[in-house]
Amino acid sequence: MKEFEIIKRYLTLDSAKRKDVIQGIGDDCALVKLPRGQRLAMSMDTLIGDVHFIADSNAADIAHKAIAVNLSDLAAAGAEPAWLTLSLSLPEFNETWLKDFSQGLKSITEFFGVQIIGGDTCRGPLSITVQAHGFVPEDVFLSRSKAKAGDLICVTGDLGDAALGLMIAQNKLQVPSEKAAKLLKKYRTPNPRIAAGIALRGRATSAIDISDGLLADVNHISEQSEVGVLLRWEKIPLSDELQDAVEPELQMRAALTGGDDYELCFTINEDDFDATKTALEAVGTNCIAIGRLTGKPGIRLLHHKKEIELGELGYQHF
Ligand code: ADP
Ligand code: MG
């Protein structure tokens, strides 16, 4: 099959056609209309087979994840997602794989009302790069760098589930099947917290999505905002599945250093906590304060009244 036929058949979706797309797939450039008064927010991520996902896993899940991780970055900026570009490197023409991949693209783009407007296709080792484009009013854009000492540090969702999901997928952990399903789902098809990011506009002093593990991502806020962090272990939200599946030590390791949860971690002034919690709950997301920012550099964890000094322990490529 020729490259342009692949593009036409599997990548040009009849779903999620946005009114603000003047020109989508099929020309040299895509052209879109940015709403008046908004700023363009962009984020790009590459997923490589057997680095970011298990290469022989379900292609629909791979498509979901490739898009979800990018939307998660927009969520952390408080941006509303709109358009996607997609660069695909495929080792071979595999019709079943492409059909599933296309189905995965279709369902997540429909769900979030985003449109794939262009990209690139070539032959090579399996690799998927997505660039997500969205918009956000300039004055409420969320960043990593404006947190203040004294702010509460909060998270959405539960932490550590995706790390256990990965262990289950790799046959490194045995868990009863109904519990395994939830943990696997969190790893394979994460749910970017778009509505929560938008609800945090004008409330959070900083935000980041948890992709490399809580400590690694909190460390970015800590360094870029020049604040210290004191986390309270007993406040860290853990799912029942995670607590049933593994011993406390692995629970802690998964929740603090496991990647792939794609929850949001954000900081707010204590006075804004109640209103923020209400705003997040209104979009179906919980809001858990897990600690506080301090003037003392570094990341520390309060565990059974003992303070533990923590390094940066998340996933690193190099
Ligand atoms: P060109 O040679 O002008 O760069 P291509 O032949 O690479 O164009 O692509 C043709 C059209 O298909 C372009 O509009 C491009 O954006 C789109 N396209 C190519 N690959 C993809 C892909 N993986 N996903 C979505 N659109 C794609
Ligand atoms: Mg061209």
Side-chain angles (χ1 to χ4, degrees):
M1 184 171 280
K2 294 224 174 68
E3 186 189 314
F4 75 88
E5 280 181 68
I6 293 180
I7 297 166
K8 200 165 150 215
R9 218 185 269 187
Y10 303 106
L11 303 170
T12 309
L13 309 172
D14 49 17
S15 59
K17 288 240 184 323
R18 292 178 61 98
K19 290 205 181 70
D20 51 14
V21 176
I22 299 161
Q23 183 168 272
I25 292 176
D27 216 306
D28 291 312
C29 284
L31 200 67
V32 298
K33 213 156 92 186
L34 197 62
R36 191 178 289 274
Q38 306 264 332
R39 296 290 172 263
L40 184 62
M42 288 173 282
S43 173
M44 178 188 276
D45 263 303
T46 296
L47 266 66
I48 295 175
D50 289 329
V51 178
H52 299 94
F53 59 90
I54 300 162
D56 63 1
S57 51
N58 179 306
D61 290 350
I62 296 171
H64 177 108
K65 189 154 182 174
I67 290 179
V69 301
N70 277 278
L71 297 185
S72 177
D73 283 324
L74 291 188
E80 179 176 335
W83 315 290
L84 303 168
T85 41
L86 169 67
S87 174
L88 259 187
S89 162
L90 300 172
E92 58 179 349
F93 172 71
N94 176 335
E95 190 176 0
T96 317
W97 193 94
L98 276 164
K99 261 193 186 152
D100 289 347
F101 188 76
S102 184
Q103 197 53 49
L105 294 179
K106 190 170 164 178
S107 67
I108 189 168
T109 53
E110 255 173 8
F111 186 83
F112 287 102
V114 294
Q115 185 174 337
I116 298 174
I117 56 170
D120 195 26
T121 306
C122 62
R123 187 191 285 263
L126 181 58
S127 156
I128 303 150
T129 299
V130 173
Q131 182 159 29
H133 315 252
F135 45 84
V136 60
E138 185 178 32
D139 51 339
V140 292
F141 176 77
L142 305 174
S143 72
R144 300 175 176 183
S145 59
K146 296 192 179 67
K148 299 266 177 302
D151 285 349
L152 292 175
I153 183 155
C154 307
V155 292
T156 62
D158 295 316
L159 301 185
D161 285 0
L164 293 197
L166 172 61
M167 289 177 70
I168 294 168
Q170 293 172 325
N171 291 318
K172 290 179 182 163
L173 178 68
Q174 304 285 335
V175 174
S177 62
E178 71 290 3
K179 282 177 184 141
K182 190 182 158 195
L183 299 168
L184 276 165
K185 186 164 187 282
K186 184 88 192 242
Y187 170 68
R188 289 180 175 149
T189 54
N191 177 28
R193 296 292 192 180
I194 295 296
I198 292 171
L200 289 174
R201 288 177 179 174
R203 300 179 194 276
T205 54
S206 75
I208 190 167
D209 66 319
I210 306 176
S211 53
D212 295 332
L214 178 69
L215 293 185
D217 291 315
V218 156
N219 191 55
H220 292 308
I221 290 183
S222 162
E223 286 186 345
Q224 287 170 242
S225 294
E226 297 177 15
V227 289
V229 179
L230 181 62
L231 299 173
R232 290 173 177 273
W233 169 247
E234 75 280 5
K235 301 282 186 199
I236 306 229
L238 304 175
S239 70
D240 294 342
E241 287 80 5
L242 176 133
Q243 294 185 69
D244 289 351
V246 294
E247 295 304 309
E249 201 196 309
L250 184 50
Q251 289 174 23
M252 179 176 280
R253 203 141 46 85
L256 294 180
T257 67
D260 286 317
D261 280 321
Y262 298 99
E263 295 297 340
L264 294 181
C265 174
F266 58 94
T267 58
I268 49 169
N269 185 296
E270 188 166 15
D271 296 339
D272 296 329
F273 180 77
D274 291 341
T276 302
K277 189 172 163 66
T278 306
L280 287 181
E281 283 170 357
V283 296
T285 311
N286 61 351
C287 169
I288 309 290
I290 59 167
R292 200 181 276 280
L293 301 184
T294 67
K296 185 174 160 186
I299 299 176
R300 287 163 297 135
L301 178 72
L302 208 56
H303 182 237
H304 296 316
K305 295 190 177 149
K306 241 178 45 203
E307 239 181 66
I308 309 165
E309 195 82 35
L310 297 165
E312 184 192 341
L313 299 165
Y315 184 81
Q316 292 209 24
H317 284 271
F318 299 102

